[in-house]
């Protein structure tokens, strides 16, 4: 930074300071007529001097001395505390370029009778730096002592008086000889310290949320911004502010059981604010699979659901872009914005999605959700459109009047989880055709349509490369396995994944493959079949799970849950029984047991029941609840099984 006391002339002024186009401007019309005339004369004289270097002529044109013109020039090129030049502001009459500094001694005399207190407080703190440091520590809540939650000027003044007394200040010296004992000066000092230490003072007085918001609205341009549709896409997971239920058929008839709130992950396009896709997680916590399903939805063709409740309908032209504009199905984007939640770091998102889509992944600063403000506003809008209007709404806080016994309302009114899925799809589709003030009262789909068909548009839809053995579609995990089998024992080749054998007519007749390694493309949403390849890349076709697992759609997560329940002795895995139906019956029984004492209790087992039905496409109408402990499928099992001689060990603890 330049020395503020430097004396500049035309010959010595550096080029970066003499460029008046960078000086701070002044609206001269806002000044009084006499001050405006004086300002314009001085400005014209300085411009003439900087352009020609003729000091005498320039000073004469303004009617001032040469020394006075040089004085005004040096005021204009003086650096302000923010680092910028004072510029043309220096020519405004009465404008100070530096703060007032007291050089005289502090006033002395009887209480309240002394005079001449200008700058006395700052001078006093300069003579007593230990008092200044203590006051700043109290204002900014710095370490070293226990602080008041949000100290007031009145409380700080008491501390100030105590500090002065401890320092031995007499009653005839400042601040005790002033009428307010320095209180007004102390209040100004509080504001000055707070403004000079904005982040620290905000944290001490208003908390972490206010600190996070300070990171936005700084006036600096974003490093990443959208110039055309599909340049910038963001996603985030949110819990719906309403409860749903699942209907369980028990021994005493059907019963409604409340489930945990659903997760929704919308994918928002940054240029025209259109929702490209979404996924719903019926689970306790959101995981990487739900995030990956949202990305798959954004690139897949959307089709409308058939609402299960009369009166729920889509607005004319409503939908997601891939359904309204079929040519946008299967298109990628340039940048994916996510926060620092754990599921976003999973391999499914951080590696598979990034490589398949070919996009840049931006996680944003740690702990700063406010940088995803568009997604936060989206969820607030969606809540206002539909979710917070349900009788089972949880409201925005426990004190929200909308929160009126939401679990009871969900059960008594029969708000089913499938009704919530219909509401989610309809609300998101209708959002895309709803006019937005930020878009000039136009809808996201209308803006996207114009930019897509505009002749000079910068929007060029990004086509994804075809999937390959090295980079398959999203939702597919690549793993390796050794082919098992025994030719001498007549055991045909097969592979094993999560305790289930897979084979095909091609693999079963390839005895030479036994002991060799192959690559598996596992679609984790449906583990009934697996595509396999040689390590050299050639396809071996599709393998099907042997037994009942190959006849029912199920996810890998469901398979692992079944194995865990089987290990814990909660399920009896009998040959020929349908494992999906057995798990549905188990979770139904566990949900009833969890709500025996309190029917208004939210059931985690009921949540798993709805999740299992949603992921497998099974209907719950014919599912009968079974005892959760060592449940037996009495349809396929003998009427009475003999007691085992050795009890099966419990390997794991299962939290239903």
């Amino acid at each position: 930074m330049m020395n503020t006391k430097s004396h500049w002339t035309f010959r010595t002024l550096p080029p970066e300071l003499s460029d008046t186009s960078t000086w701070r401007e002044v609206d001269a019309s806002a000044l009084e007529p006499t001050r405006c005339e004086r300002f314009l004369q001085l400005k014209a004289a300085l411009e003439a001097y900087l352009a020609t270097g003729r000091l005498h002529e320039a000073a004469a044109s303004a009617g001032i001395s040469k020394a006075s013109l040089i004085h005004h020039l040096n005021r204009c090129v003086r650096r302000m505390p923010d680092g910028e030049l004072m510029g043309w502001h220096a020519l405004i009459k009465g404008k100070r370029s530096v703060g007032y500094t007291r050089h005289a001694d502090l006033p002395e005399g009887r209480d309240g009778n002394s005079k001449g207190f200008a700058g006395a407080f700052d001078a006093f703190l300069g003579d007593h730096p230990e008092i200044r440091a203590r006051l700043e520590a109290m204002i900014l809540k710095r370490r070293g002592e226990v602080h008041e939650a949000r100290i007031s000027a009145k409380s700080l003044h008491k501390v100030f008086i105590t500090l002065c007394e401890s320092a031995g200040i007499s009653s005839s010296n400042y601040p005790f000889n002033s009428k307010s004992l320095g209180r007004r000066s102390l209040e100004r000092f509080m504001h000055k310290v707070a403004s000079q230490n904005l982040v620290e003072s905000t944290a001490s007085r208003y908390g972490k949320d206010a600190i996070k918001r300070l990171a936005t609205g700084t006036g600096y341009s974003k490093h990443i911004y959208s110039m055309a549709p599909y340049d910038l896409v963001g996603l985030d997971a949110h819990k719906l502010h309403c409860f749903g239920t699942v209907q369980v058929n028990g021994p005493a008839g059907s019963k409604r059981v409340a489930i945990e709130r659903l997760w929704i992950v919308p994918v928002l396009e940054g240029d025209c604010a259109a929702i490209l896709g979404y996924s719903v997680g019926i689970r306790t916590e959101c995981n990487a699979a739900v995030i990956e399903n949202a990305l798959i939805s954004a690139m897949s063709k959307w089709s409308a659901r058939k609402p299960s409740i009369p009166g729920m309908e889509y607005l004319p032209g409503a939908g997601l872009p891939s359904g309204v504009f079929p040519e946008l199905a299967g298109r990628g984007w340039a940048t994916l914005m996510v926060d620092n939640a754990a599921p976003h770091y999973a391999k499914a998102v951080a590696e598979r999605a990034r490589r398949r889509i070919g996009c840049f992944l931006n996680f944003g600063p740690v702990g700063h959700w406010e940088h995803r403000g568009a997604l936060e506003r989206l969820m607030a809008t969606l809540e206002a459109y539909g979710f917070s209007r349900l009788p089972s709404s949880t409201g925005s806080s426990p004190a929200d009047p909308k929160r009126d016994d939401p679990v009871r309302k969900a059960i008594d009114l029969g708000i089913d989880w499938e009704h919530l899925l219909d509401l989610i799809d309809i609300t998101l589709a209708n959002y895309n055709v709803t006019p937005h003030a930020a878009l000039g009262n136009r809808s996201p789909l209308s803006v996207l349509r114009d930019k897509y068909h505009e002749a000079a548009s910068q929007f060029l839809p990004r086509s994804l490369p075809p999937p390959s053995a090295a980079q398959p579609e999203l939702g597919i995990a690549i793993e390796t396995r050794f082919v098992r089998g025994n030719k001498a024992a007549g055991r045909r080749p097969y592979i094993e994944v999560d305790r289930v054998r897979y084979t095909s007519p091609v693999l079963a007749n390839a005895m030479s493959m036994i002991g060799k390694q192959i690559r598996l493309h596992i679609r984790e949403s449906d583990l009934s079949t697996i595509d396999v390849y040689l390590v050299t890349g050639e396809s071996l076709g599709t393998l099907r799970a042997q037994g009942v697992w190959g006849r029912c759609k199920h996810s890998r997560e469901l398979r692992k849950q079944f194995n865990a329940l089987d290990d814990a002795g909660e399920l009896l895995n009998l040959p020929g029984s349908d494992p999906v139906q057995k798990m549905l019956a188990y979770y139904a029984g566990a949900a009833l047991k969890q709500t025996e004492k309190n029917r208004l209790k939210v059931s985690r087992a009921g949540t798993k029941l709805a999740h299992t039905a949603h992921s497998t496409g099974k209907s719950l109408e014919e599912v009968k609840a079974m005892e959760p402990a060592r449940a037996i499928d009495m349809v396929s099992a003998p009427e009475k099984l003999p007691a085992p001689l050795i009890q099966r060990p419990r390997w794991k603890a299962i939290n239903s």
Side-chain angles (χ1 to χ4, degrees):
M1 182 180 295
M2 184 196 74
N3 185 355
T4 57
K5 295 183 180 180
S6 297
H7 184 75
W8 298 107
T9 63
F10 172 79
R11 297 181 181 276
T12 61
L13 192 65
E16 63 270 15
L17 300 183
S18 62
D19 184 8
T20 58
S21 63
T22 63
W23 291 10
R24 293 180 177 181
E25 290 290 344
V26 172
D27 181 8
S29 62
L31 303 177
E32 296 179 0
T34 55
R35 293 193 176 187
C36 178
E37 182 179 0
R38 174 183 177 275
F39 170 82
L40 295 176
Q41 288 178 349
L42 292 176
K43 183 180 180 182
L46 279 179
E47 288 177 338
Y49 175 55
L50 293 176
T52 63
R54 298 177 179 178
L55 178 59
H56 179 77
E57 295 179 4
S61 66
I64 59 176
S65 66
K66 295 184 288 185
S68 178
L69 186 62
I70 294 297
H71 170 71
H72 285 298
L73 172 63
N74 281 274
R75 279 172 50 86
C76 289
V77 296
R78 179 171 292 162
R79 296 283 183 181
M80 301 300 291
D82 60 2
E84 296 292 332
L85 297 180
M86 192 173 183
W88 298 118
H89 293 192
L91 302 185
I92 300 176
K93 188 175 183 179
K95 180 70 174 179
R96 287 186 176 272
S97 59
V98 294
Y100 174 74
T101 302
R102 183 185 181 95
H103 298 287
D105 295 335
L106 292 176
E108 296 182 0
R110 293 182 179 180
D111 300 354
N113 294 326
S114 300
K115 298 181 180 180
F117 288 94
F121 188 83
D122 288 337
F124 175 80
L125 294 183
D127 295 338
H128 299 83
E130 70 284 355
I131 296 181
R132 173 189 285 272
R134 184 70 183 278
L135 292 177
E136 291 180 347
M138 297 290 291
I139 296 171
L140 303 176
K141 293 176 66 173
R142 288 173 176 167
R143 295 181 180 180
E145 57 183 282
V146 178
H147 296 284
E148 185 177 331
R150 187 183 296 178
I151 192 167
S152 63
K154 183 177 181 180
S155 298
L156 187 65
H157 185 255
K158 292 180 180 179
V159 175
F160 174 63
I161 296 300
T162 303
L163 293 175
C164 291
E165 292 174 347
S166 301
I169 307 299
S170 66
S171 60
S172 61
N173 292 330
Y174 186 85
F176 295 117
N177 60 358
S178 64
K179 292 182 179 180
S180 65
L181 302 182
R183 178 172 176 176
R184 294 182 180 178
S185 298
L186 181 62
E187 291 177 356
R188 291 191 291 268
F189 176 74
M190 285 185 66
H191 292 297
K192 179 181 178 181
V193 171
S195 62
Q196 291 177 347
N197 303 271
L198 181 60
V199 175
E200 195 174 0
S201 63
T202 303
S204 64
R205 301 188 66 83
Y206 305 109
K208 295 181 179 179
D209 288 342
I211 278 292
K212 291 179 179 179
R213 291 188 178 91
L214 281 180
T216 62
T218 59
Y220 293 100
S221 300
K222 296 180 179 179
H223 295 292
I224 303 176
Y225 56 91
S226 177
M227 297 183 63
Y230 286 68
D231 278 353
L232 191 63
V233 169
L235 63 81
D236 198 6
H238 297 265
K239 263 190 175 181
L240 293 187
H241 292 170
C242 60
F243 284 109
T245 64
V246 61
Q247 187 167 352
V248 180
N249 297 321
S254 62
K255 179 181 179 181
R256 285 282 173 184
V257 177
I259 64 174
E260 296 173 297
R261 292 183 294 163
L262 276 59
W263 286 91
I264 177 174
V265 183
V267 179
L268 182 67
E269 197 279 321
D271 186 71
C272 54
I275 300 176
L276 304 183
Y278 73 95
S279 67
V280 176
I282 310 176
R283 52 191 313 113
T284 302
E285 293 294 338
C286 187
N287 65 355
V290 181
I291 304 297
E292 192 173 27
N293 288 336
L295 297 175
I296 294 173
S297 170
M299 295 186 296
S300 303
K301 186 176 181 180
W302 173 84
S303 58
R305 292 173 59 93
K306 294 182 179 180
S308 55
I309 298 180
M312 295 179 64
E313 58 185 13
Y314 297 88
L315 295 176
L320 304 188
S322 59
V324 179
F325 312 112
E327 58 270 27
L328 293 182
R331 302 295 186 174
W333 45 82
T335 303
L336 178 63
M337 307 283 285
V338 295
D339 60 19
N340 288 269
H344 300 156
Y345 284 99
K347 187 176 181 180
V349 179
E351 288 297 328
R352 295 208 300 257
R354 179 178 60 83
R355 293 180 182 274
R356 180 69 186 97
I357 303 173
C359 64
F360 172 73
L361 201 61
N362 179 270
F363 287 98
V366 176
H368 287 281
W369 60 265
E370 66 280 352
H371 284 272
R372 305 291 182 267
L375 285 166
E376 299 295 333
R377 289 193 299 271
L378 167 65
M379 289 308 304
T381 302
L382 296 180
E383 292 285 351
Y385 278 178
F387 308 132
S388 62
R389 299 169 63 183
L390 291 176
S392 63
S393 171
T394 61
S396 58
S397 68
D400 195 331
K402 293 181 181 179
R403 182 186 178 94
D404 185 14
D405 203 353
V407 177
R408 184 187 298 274
K409 293 288 181 65
I411 294 175
D412 293 345
L413 297 177
I415 301 177
D416 196 81
W417 63 277
E418 291 190 352
H419 299 161
L420 295 181
L421 296 183
D422 292 340
L423 178 61
I424 290 172
D425 194 74
I426 292 175
T427 302
L428 297 183
N430 290 345
Y431 172 89
N432 280 341
V433 293
T434 302
H436 297 178
L439 299 176
N441 288 325
R442 302 180 63 196
S443 68
L445 287 184
S446 66
V447 175
L448 180 60
R449 179 185 294 106
D450 290 347
K451 291 196 174 185
Y452 182 63
H453 295 291
E454 185 179 329
S457 175
Q458 296 179 343
F459 178 32
L460 181 63
R462 298 169 175 84
S463 298
L464 298 180
S468 63
Q471 191 58 55
E473 293 283 5
L474 290 181
I476 295 179
I478 300 180
E479 298 180 5
T480 58
R481 291 289 191 282
F482 285 96
V483 178
R484 299 181 180 181
N486 192 322
K487 186 175 182 180
R491 188 178 302 117
R492 290 180 177 272
Y494 68 92
I495 63 169
E496 185 171 316
V497 177
D498 296 340
R499 306 184 190 179
V500 176
R501 294 183 177 184
Y502 289 77
T503 190
S504 69
V506 175
L507 181 62
N509 289 295
M511 287 293 184
S512 60
M513 291 294 299
I514 296 176
K516 294 184 178 181
Q517 197 175 47
I518 60 175
R519 293 169 60 86
L520 313 181
H521 284 203
I522 302 175
R523 185 175 295 278
E524 298 188 326
S525 61
D526 185 7
L527 217 59
S528 60
T529 60
I530 293 177
D531 295 331
V532 294
Y533 296 82
L534 296 175
V535 292
T536 55
E538 295 94 332
S539 173
L540 279 178
T542 301
L543 308 185
R544 180 169 292 277
Q546 301 302 287
V548 293
W549 287 111
R551 299 194 296 269
C552 58
K553 177 186 176 183
H554 63 283
S555 65
R556 193 169 197 179
E557 180 184 17
L558 186 66
R559 173 87 65 82
K560 290 182 177 180
Q561 289 179 2
F562 183 88
N563 291 338
L565 291 170
D566 187 34
D567 289 342
E570 298 291 327
L571 290 175
L572 184 61
N573 190 8
L574 297 175
S577 61
D578 188 336
V580 175
Q581 290 291 343
K582 185 177 293 186
M583 287 196 66
L584 291 172
Y586 170 80
Y587 285 136
L592 290 177
K593 187 173 182 179
Q594 288 179 350
T595 57
E596 283 179 355
K597 296 182 179 180
N598 183 6
R599 77 180 189 96
L600 301 181
K601 180 181 179 181
V602 174
S603 171
R604 180 168 292 187
T607 307
K608 291 184 177 180
L609 175 64
H611 169 72
T612 303
H614 178 57
S615 62
T616 59
K618 295 283 187 179
S619 174
L620 297 178
E621 295 180 357
E622 300 180 358
V623 175
K624 301 294 182 181
M626 293 193 301
E627 288 293 331
R630 294 186 177 276
I632 299 177
D633 186 349
M634 299 307 296
V635 176
S636 58
E639 293 183 0
K640 187 176 182 181
L641 294 175
L645 297 177
I646 301 177
Q647 292 295 329
R648 188 172 190 170
R650 292 178 177 268
W651 299 107
K652 298 180 180 179
I654 302 299
N655 295 321
S656 300

